[in-house]
Amino acid sequence: MNNDDVLNNPEFRNINPDKLNFLRRFAGQNTTSSATEMASVLMQAMNTSKEENVQFTSQETDLMFSILKSRLSPAEQAKADMIYRMMNKKK
């Protein structure tokens, strides 16, 4: 995800300013090329958001995941979907 993904996505237009700032920081540091890396980045972002008391809805988290996943190859996207489903089952 990059800053353009955050700024240009209509889903993020009405988001809380604290969440938007967090997403911009997250987008600026994220360059993933595999599903495993992406899962690690997403988990780290979720932990950091908790530490900073920035809570995302499940829909917002799904949107972040979709944007991250869109930059992966089709094979890595399939792996990412499987990892994400497993992560959601643990909640």
Side-chain angles (χ1 to χ4, degrees):
M1 180 166 31
N2 63 38
N3 279 320
D4 289 340
D5 293 328
V6 174
L7 296 173
N8 296 330
N9 192 309
E11 299 281 339
F12 288 135
R13 287 207 178 116
N14 296 320
I15 196 166
N16 171 302
D18 291 334
K19 289 180 182 182
L20 189 57
N21 286 332
F22 180 88
L23 288 173
R24 285 183 177 138
R25 284 194 340 252
F26 173 66
Q29 65 188 6
N30 176 42
T31 56
T32 59
S33 60
S34 75
T36 306
E37 285 177 17
M38 189 193 78
S40 176
V41 167
L42 191 57
M43 288 300 293
Q44 182 180 8
M46 291 168 62
N47 290 334
T48 302
S49 72
K50 285 180 187 177
E51 290 170 5
E52 296 179 11
N53 203 27
V54 177
Q55 297 178 352
F56 292 95
T57 66
S58 59
Q59 291 86 1
E60 291 165 341
T61 303
D62 289 346
L63 182 57
M64 286 188 290
F65 171 76
S66 294
I67 292 171
L68 286 171
K69 187 177 83 165
S70 70
R71 299 183 178 274
L72 300 176
S73 70
E76 288 297 316
Q77 286 181 9
K79 289 179 192 176
D81 285 333
M82 185 177 63
I83 292 169
Y84 194 62
R85 282 192 301 272
M86 289 180 358
M87 286 171 51
N88 283 329
K89 285 184 182 179
K90 291 182 180 181
K91 291 182 179 180

